[in-house]
Every structure is written in structure tokens, then in C-alpha cells.
Amino acid sequence: MKKQKIAFELTVFENFHELSSEEQNLMTSARSARKKAYAPYSSFQVGAAVLLENGEIITGNNQENASYPSGLCAERVAVFYAGANFPNVPIKAIAISATSKHHVVDQPAAPCGNCRQAISEYEVKQKQPIKILMMGETGQILKCNAMSDILPLAFNSTYLN
Ligand code: THU
């Protein structure tokens, strides 16, 4: 028997200006996308921006539904659009930003478990890591180098073969 520890690198930015210009641009797209979120039930508006290897930026935001589980998170709206329209172009990074009509979101918006699984699928498919940039409305910004870092031991297609 042995015990293993899993570690990963998390970059913590104290403010927006510490990001590279490419990262700033992507986060600006996520922040702008969240303004168009359809979130009448939670009033929690999330924006996601996906950077493709060809330089294209795809945005999405959360789309809620009166039948709550029928809604979809911002991250999946964006990555599914990318998968549907640019199936052969690898995804380099995704930026996420959230705001609320009820309080100031001052901590980075981390993707939910379902979104981690969905994004992980593309990482396995393209055999290249997808960087994750997370922020709230204000406060620190976090960066992970790969979805596999924050979804270790993920279920993937290798189990089905
Ligand atoms: N939401 C996202 O869009 N992304 C996440 O990763 C977490 C949650 C949305 C879903 C719902 O519309 C609202 O935030 C509150 O959960």
C-alpha cells in the first residue's frame, strides 16, 4: 500500500493588470458576456470566453429555465458552441467571470463539477491542456494550467474502450 498526494499549480493574480494582454482580452470577453446572461431565477450571471488555437474567441453565459435543471452553465454554453462549430480547432483557454444582483462576487467563480467534466472531455479529445482563468466581479483572479488539475481522476473515454 502507498499513499500519493496530488498537487497542482495555481497562479493567484491580485488584480486584472497582472494578467498577460491575451489573458486580459479573454477575461474582458467573459466579463462582457455575463451581462447578457439569462438568469432570472438565481440573479447570478456568469460569462465564459473560450480561446481557440486559431485566435477565435467564443463566448457564452448561463441560460436558466423555469424548470431549473433544464438550464445550462455559461462554460458549457461556450464550449459546446466551440465544439459544434470548430470541432477540429483546439481550445487553449477558458475565462470565467460571475456577478450577482444580490451581492458583490469578490471571489473567483470556479466551474461546477458538470462543467469540469464537460471541459475535460475536450482536453482528452485534443490531447492538449485547457487553461482556466477564474474571477468574480472584483478581487483575485486564479489560473489553472489544465482542467485535469482541478478534476483529477476524471472519468473519460478510456474506460469505455
Ligand atoms: N453557473 C454557471 O453558469 N457556471 C458555473 O460553473 C456555476 C453556476 C450558473 C448556473 C445557474 O444559472 C447560476 O449560475 C446559479 O447556480
Side-chain angles (χ1 to χ4, degrees), residues 97-120:
S97 174
T99 187
S100 169
K101 293 203 167 136
H102 302 310
H103 63 280
V104 177
V105 180
D106 58 3
Q107 57 175 329
C112 78
N114 282 312
C115 288
R116 292 182 197 205
Q117 181 70 28
I119 296 166
S120 161

Side-chain angles (χ1 to χ4, degrees), residues 38-39 42 44 46 61-64 72-75 110-112 115:
Y38 177 60
S42 71
F44 189 74
V46 186
N61 43 45
N62 49 331
Q63 296 295 314
E64 296 187 349
L72 199 62
C73 293
E75 296 91 322
C112 78
C115 288

